[in-house]
Amino acid sequence: MPQGKLFLILGPSGSGKGTVINYLRKKFPQAVFPLSCTTRPPRPGESDGEVYHFLTKDEFQKKINTGEFLEWAVVHHDNFYGTLKQPILDALAAGKIVIREVDMQGVESIRKILPSGQVIAIFITAPSWENLKHRILGRSKIPQEELEQREKSFEREMEFSKKCDFVVMSEEGKIQEYCEKVSEIIH
Ligand code: 5GP
């Protein structure tokens, strides 16, 4: 039976995961980029069915009850996120490369379900908290309290990076280089 591989992309917010995934979409047109479900509202420019299915908490709960998720977790601000089981298992059974962004909880849950050789966690990191803070504040103004929370998450995530299969540094001004590093890992 063919066995595909599931590449999980994770890292602190602002580390460049989105940039990496957009790069990989072009680089690996034959790969599967499964949708996840979330209860957070869509941001400007996001539509349902691109990266997420946007669900109400009730709709999400129904999918938990019917066992539709491979894993699910509460991530930021009480929002639920979950990877859908069937599209991922079908793609893996067909021998495909599957690429999905998840958080640390998602990596831990999926590692308990799928065989270890089939799941590869790639952690995208910034050179330091100062550097990441600069990037986050450059994107939008956020309250001090939220910034402090992100710093705590950054520390937890850096600790978790030790448990990942690969760590790739997203250096300032070197987008092509770090995206290419991730792409070589997948190759
Ligand atoms: P965002 O709302 O910014 O798209 O994502 C917020 C966080 O949720 C990120 O850390 C992202 O990796 C995580 N996330 C996105 N989809 C999933 C998923 O299906 N499962 C889990 N566990 N986390 C997810």
Side-chain angles (χ1 to χ4, degrees), residues 123-176:
F123 189 94
I124 314 294
T125 183
S128 64
W129 166 244
E130 281 310 310
N131 176 280
L132 197 63
K133 187 167 91 176
H134 182 76
R135 293 189 205 177
I136 293 169
L137 293 176
R139 286 207 300 210
S140 61
K141 214 168 156 345
I142 62 169
Q144 182 61 26
E145 198 186 320
E146 195 180 325
L147 200 61
E148 284 164 16
Q149 265 180 11
R150 296 243 186 136
E151 184 171 5
K152 285 203 191 94
S153 305
F154 174 74
E155 284 158 13
R156 279 199 303 274
E157 281 161 326
M158 290 310 288
E159 201 45 43
F160 188 80
S161 72
K162 296 175 193 160
K163 296 194 211 163
C164 292
D165 302 286
F166 296 92
V167 177
V168 175
M169 176 81 72
S170 61
E171 278 183 70
E172 213 66 54
K174 297 201 175 162
I175 294 179
Q176 176 74 23

Side-chain angles (χ1 to χ4, degrees), residues 9-11 17 36-38 40 43 46 51-52 71-73 75-76 81-84 100-107 157:
I9 310 288
L10 75 157
K17 287 168 294 183
S36 279
C37 296
T38 181
R40 81 151 164 76
R43 300 188 184 118
E46 280 184 329
V51 175
Y52 291 114
E71 61 75 42
W72 63 271
V75 187
H76 294 308
Y81 290 81
T83 44
L84 288 164
R100 177 65 218 181
E101 178 191 339
V102 291
D103 79 327
M104 302 182 280
Q105 304 169 80
V107 173
E157 281 161 326

Side-chain angles (χ1 to χ4, degrees), residues 6 8 32 34-36 70 83-93 98 100 110 114:
L6 172 59
L8 299 174
V32 173
L35 299 179
S36 279
L70 186 61
T83 44
L84 288 164
K85 193 188 282 175
Q86 216 47 54
I88 295 182
L89 296 187
D90 289 350
L92 290 176
V98 184
R100 177 65 218 181
I110 291 175
L114 296 177

